[in-house]
Amino acid sequence: MRKAYFDGTHRTRHPDQTWEAIRPLLAAYGITRVADVTGLDDLGIPVTMAVRPLARTLSVAQGKGATPAAARVSGAMEAIEAWHGERAVPSAEVRAPADGLGLPYPVTALESHPGSLVTGRTVLDWITARSALDGEPVLVPAACVQLGREAHDRWRLHLPSASTNGLASGNTRAEAVAHALAELIERDTISALTGGRGRGRLIDPNSIEEAHCAALIGRLRAAGVWLELWHLPNRFEVPVVSCYLWREDQPALLVSGSGAHLDPHVALSRAITEAAQSRLTQITGSREDIHPAAYRPAVHRRPQPAAGTGTGWAEVVAQHTAGFATDDGEAEHLAARIKAVTGYSPLVVDLTHGPHRRREFAVVKVLAPTLRYDARHVIPRPAQEATA
């Protein structure tokens, strides 16, 4: 479907239209409120929280966007995504070890906990996914998709592991798949920063002239925020940007955000708005997984600036020229890039299937064998990439 909305993102419908479609459905997904919490901070970047008291994972989802309408939809859809990851995973079709199933990928290449004991001989429950490139059915472990923990009366290994990485929604299935694939590439890229291994290119904020992103940076500067932006080159040749914010009112905390998209301006916008969302998550204290260190008193000392001068944003933009008028074209391109780099096609599990099928939206979980995922909440600052 052709894209129709381009303010800080690419969508096939305006956020107001999406909101009108999903608003009557919120109660069905256990969402009791979608609150605008932008005013609890003074940055002015729209952030919302969607509350789901009976969640099997986090009971509060966060949303952000270029406008209050976009942030409202973002928060609500994140909560709806989690509901589907908890309650709409297809029933297992096969219970068997991976060896003998004829899988086109090694089961050990899927996301798992550090030190996982999974092997090709581990007995697992399997559900059907489909290749993001040709639609061919492929079995994947249900444990890689099923979110949440429930009480049970038998001992079992939670192997492999599931996370919200690659869990995404959209106005269409292709839009949801494109969003999931971009997130998988983003998380793989920032995972390379762990342990100081990753490299990036510092961006000069003053060189950013695109109206939407320049306005976001202007809000941060007006609020006296210390700001650092990085372009993160990666093996997929997809624009990935990280953003770091600090201010004296949260001296113990350097918040971060990241974004990936074929349009570098969208990647930049997502990184900035996610960092602003991280600040408000700490301010509201509404997440069960916030580390206590975030609230400890600290010396009012801003982070040391990165060495070297920032790269002009126009130079970064010139490196990335791929763009698509439709969500189908974008999803196919991203899937093909992942296949070209890893040798494995991304695998899509449709969570709006059968009794959960909706005409208003789609939710998918995409698995990409061999891609990295570090579940840390803080994105390490990269080392400066050597210049030519």
Side-chain angles (χ1 to χ4, degrees):
M1 183 179 289
R2 288 192 67 85
K3 300 174 183 178
Y5 181 78
F6 302 93
D7 194 0
T9 186
H10 288 186
R11 294 292 182 183
T12 57
R13 285 194 300 196
H14 191 282
D16 287 339
Q17 295 176 300
T18 303
W19 177 251
E20 287 306 310
I22 67 173
R23 184 177 183 180
L25 306 174
L26 298 182
Y29 299 111
I31 301 171
T32 57
R33 73 181 71 177
V34 179
D36 183 350
V37 295
T38 309
L40 297 179
D41 201 354
D42 57 1
L43 304 186
I45 295 176
V47 175
T48 63
M49 51 182 272
V51 182
R52 201 164 51 97
L54 297 180
R56 296 174 182 173
T57 52
L58 294 174
S59 59
V60 176
Q62 316 292 330
K64 77 278 187 188
T67 65
R72 179 173 57 187
V73 169
S74 173
M77 289 308 302
E78 183 170 310
I80 289 173
E81 290 167 17
W83 185 95
H84 282 81
E86 296 166 0
R87 303 168 188 266
V89 177
S91 300
E93 303 166 31
V94 179
R95 182 170 177 80
D99 291 351
L101 291 179
L103 301 177
Y105 63 91
V107 68
T108 53
L110 295 174
E111 182 182 324
S112 60
H113 292 294
S116 170
L117 301 177
V118 171
T119 71
R121 298 184 298 277
T122 306
V123 176
L124 299 169
D125 292 326
W126 299 85
I127 59 177
T128 297
R130 293 196 175 270
S131 165
L133 287 172
D134 58 20
E136 285 295 308
V138 180
L139 290 174
V140 299
C144 287
V145 182
Q146 181 69 58
L147 295 180
R149 295 288 184 263
E150 296 180 278
H152 55 84
D153 58 3
R154 66 187 187 281
W155 181 88
R156 63 186 179 192
L157 289 170
H158 290 292
L159 299 172
S161 63
S163 72
T164 58
N165 187 33
L167 178 66
S169 60
N171 294 295
T172 67
R173 182 181 183 276
E175 187 175 278
V177 171
H179 182 76
L181 292 170
E183 181 174 81
L184 288 165
I185 290 172
E186 171 194 335
R187 300 283 173 77
D188 179 87
T189 301
I190 63 176
S191 292
L193 301 177
T194 303
R197 299 190 305 271
R199 295 292 184 268
R201 300 175 67 189
L202 186 67
I203 299 169
D204 177 8
N206 295 320
S207 68
I208 297 168
E209 298 180 350
E210 192 268 339
H212 166 69
C213 293
L216 291 175
I217 292 170
R219 291 181 184 181
L220 298 174
R221 288 254 169 90
V225 174
W226 179 93
L227 164 69
E228 193 173 81
L229 300 171
W230 292 83
H231 171 242
L232 305 177
N234 57 81
R235 53 187 175 152
F236 305 100
E237 300 179 351
V238 170
V240 178
V241 177
S242 61
C243 172
Y244 304 86
L245 306 178
W246 180 90
R247 201 171 66 171
E248 291 181 350
D249 58 347
Q250 290 183 315
L253 198 62
L254 176 68
V255 298
S256 54
S258 59
H261 197 274
L262 291 176
D263 182 340
H265 299 104
V266 174
L268 176 59
S269 173
R270 287 180 175 173
I272 295 172
T273 55
E274 185 175 278
Q277 173 186 284
S278 296
R279 262 184 62 88
L280 267 162
T281 300
Q282 311 294 335
I283 291 171
T284 60
S286 55
R287 293 272 294 233
E288 298 96 321
D289 58 348
I290 298 176
H291 196 281
Y295 302 106
R296 291 175 186 161
V299 177
H300 288 228
R301 184 182 300 121
R302 69 179 56 207
Q304 290 295 317
T309 58
T311 300
W313 180 241
E315 183 178 339
V316 173
V317 172
Q319 297 177 11
H320 302 288
T321 58
F324 295 88
T326 66
D327 51 0
D328 303 88
E330 184 175 331
E332 184 176 350
H333 175 81
L334 291 170
R337 288 302 307 143
I338 291 175
K339 172 70 179 294
V341 171
T342 67
Y344 302 108
S345 173
L347 306 172
V348 181
V349 178
D350 187 354
L351 298 179
T352 37
H353 61 94
H356 303 293
R357 188 176 302 279
R358 306 283 344 173
R359 61 179 176 79
E360 297 88 354
F361 60 84
V363 179
V364 299
K365 168 69 174 183
V366 180
L367 306 177
T370 78
L371 263 63
R372 298 162 294 192
Y373 175 56
D374 184 349
R376 294 173 58 171
H377 292 289
V378 177
I379 304 168
R381 292 167 70 191
Q384 181 76 299
E385 184 179 59
T387 56

